[in-house]
Amino acid sequence: AANDQEVKSVSLAYTLTDQISVSYGEETIERSAQATDIDVTGVSASYTSGGMTATFAQVEAENTNHTAGTDREVWKIGLSFAF
């Protein structure tokens, strides 16, 4: 079909200690009718102590909407508590 889409993803997560974990991932989105692929990479980390979890994530997307030069970047920080 003219608008077939293929997504290729890979990710790696590792628990450093009982409290700390990290992950990294990459994704490529190809669409048959588009000349430019979308490339997404991201990294995240979390720290847990008792009932509290702190998280950090950074995601970068290149060629969003299959348009060259339309790059985006997102940073997220989170803090959650369990009672």
Side-chain angles (χ1 to χ4, degrees), residues 24-64:
Y24 174 81
E26 295 181 357
E27 184 170 271
T28 300
I29 304 168
E30 300 175 8
R31 187 171 288 161
S32 60
Q34 302 292 329
T36 306
D37 297 339
I38 298 173
D39 294 311
V40 181
T41 58
V43 62
S44 67
S46 68
Y47 173 76
T48 302
S49 179
M52 180 198 76
T53 301
T55 58
F56 160 82
Q58 186 269 336
V59 178
E60 183 177 318
E62 297 177 356
N63 307 321
T64 58

